[in-house]
Amino acid sequence: MTVDNPRTPGAGAAAGTDHPMLAVRDLCKSYGDVEAVRGVSFDVRAGEVVVIIGPSGCGKSTTLRCLNLLEEPNRGTLRLDDRELDFSNRRTLPAGRDLARFRARFGMVFQQFDLFAHKTAIENVMIGQVVVKKIRPERAQAAARDLLRRVGLEGMDDRRPRELSGGQQQRVAIARALAMSPEVLLFDEVTSALDPELVGEVLEVMQDLAREGATMVVVTHEMSFARDVADRVLFMDQGQLVEEGTAAEVMVNPRNPRTRTFLARYHRGAQEDPGQGGA
């Protein structure tokens, strides 16, 4: 899958600022004896698109889910703007309503769409605004209609998920995340459950968000998106951050032998199966 009209790397609204919006240090997450994430550290600046790539099972999605505490890390620190969490000191960790408020600072879009099957597209987008943010229904409805138009679903307000394609459902999920006005958008393999012909419409919405200056952390196997849209690319393997740099540095001229091996295998697979996303 090729991304048309690629965003200029480094075009993030504040990609050159000194202080990151999100700072992750020595993040670790274990499940029993299995270390899924081992000492991962990185920064995300306001308006920056950071893409995480790597083989399946390397800890990419777990890292992403640790950022908004869907998974609680065992060790490390995380700072989001003015709030710092130290996972070795539980007194710093949010709980109850404070946890809900912290998570609301992130907009999470999952591999599976997780829409309410009995609600229409506009109701799915409205629900967080009404239930969590206590916005009046008529105001939430107007905002949801604008967001559906923004993701290319104008006129589909009253359709239920079963009446939408996979790509359309994923765009509703993106609109739902945007409705909460998050500081950081998290995307976890959002195209992997889609038929190949539907991938492009979702990537186009993500590319538009990047152009508009959204702060994004994206886990993906779409190498063309990483190459054309990312300000920075992180390559993970076996729970560790192996290499980090600009898209050109990591995707075109990687320094680490493991990164080179992964990309070479990916490119061979893309040439053998033109239907899958490739660079």
Side-chain angles (χ1 to χ4, degrees):
M1 175 59 61
T2 299
V3 179
D4 295 325
N5 301 317
R7 170 180 179 267
T8 301
T17 57
D18 292 334
H19 302 291
M21 173 182 285
L22 179 67
V24 179
R25 297 290 180 270
D26 194 30
L27 195 71
C28 298
K29 175 63 181 177
S30 298
Y31 301 97
D33 295 331
V34 178
E35 293 182 293
V37 180
R38 301 189 289 159
V40 168
S41 300
F42 62 92
D43 293 336
V44 182
R45 288 176 166 76
E48 192 174 32
V49 179
V50 173
V51 174
I52 307 176
I53 64 171
S56 297
C58 73
K60 305 184 302 294
S61 292
T62 301
T63 297
L64 199 72
R65 293 170 66 88
C66 284
L67 299 184
N68 67 349
L69 304 188
L70 287 177
E71 299 284 355
E72 185 178 312
N74 302 103
R75 192 174 72 246
T77 63
L78 184 155
R79 182 175 57 78
L80 176 60
D81 197 11
D82 58 346
R83 181 72 181 271
E84 181 165 320
L85 310 180
D86 181 349
F87 297 105
S88 299
N89 181 0
R90 293 199 60 83
R91 288 180 298 178
T92 70
L93 305 186
R97 291 183 179 179
D98 188 29
L99 176 59
R101 285 192 294 268
F102 182 81
R103 284 180 175 157
R105 299 177 71 178
F106 295 89
M108 184 82 168
V109 186
F110 299 91
Q111 177 178 340
Q112 301 299 330
F113 321 124
D114 293 329
L115 300 178
F116 292 104
H118 64 289
K119 292 187 177 294
T120 63
I122 198 167
E123 289 170 340
N124 269 282
V125 178
M126 289 173 57
I127 191 166
Q129 298 179 76
V130 174
V131 174
V132 178
K133 301 188 79 172
K134 307 301 181 185
I135 294 173
R136 295 194 310 272
E138 59 272 19
R139 182 180 163 199
Q141 185 180 62
R145 185 170 290 112
D146 286 342
L147 286 168
L148 287 172
R149 182 166 56 248
R150 183 177 177 185
V151 298
L153 295 177
E154 185 174 9
M156 298 188 181
D157 302 6
D158 296 328
R159 295 193 186 183
R160 286 180 167 75
R162 67 176 180 273
E163 301 172 301
L164 299 170
S165 70
Q168 290 168 336
Q169 290 183 60
Q170 193 60 284
R171 284 185 279 160
V172 172
I174 293 173
R176 179 180 58 187
L178 291 172
M180 302 302 288
S181 301
E183 297 168 52
V184 182
L185 286 166
L186 308 176
F187 294 88
D188 187 11
E189 297 283 14
V190 297
T191 61
S192 62
L194 301 178
D195 291 335
E197 62 268 23
L198 301 178
V199 169
E201 62 190 49
V202 174
L203 291 181
E204 184 177 356
V205 170
M206 294 169 66
Q207 185 184 12
D208 287 343
L209 292 171
R211 286 198 198 98
E212 293 166 10
T215 305
M216 301 163 59
V217 183
V218 181
V219 167
T220 187
H221 282 104
E222 295 292 339
M223 297 298 111
S224 60
F225 181 88
R227 181 196 63 205
D228 294 340
V229 181
D231 292 305
R232 283 186 301 118
V233 175
L234 314 181
F235 174 72
M236 288 186 65
D237 188 39
Q238 297 183 356
Q240 295 180 300
L241 180 56
V242 173
E243 186 163 354
E244 174 182 359
T246 66
E249 289 169 343
V250 176
M251 306 295 295
V252 179
N253 190 28
R255 299 181 304 275
N256 190 282
R258 182 66 187 93
T259 314
R260 290 198 293 269
T261 299
F262 170 78
L263 290 172
R265 287 177 177 170
Y266 179 85
H267 291 314
R268 282 200 300 271
Q271 289 169 357
E272 293 169 3
D273 181 8
Q276 74 175 12

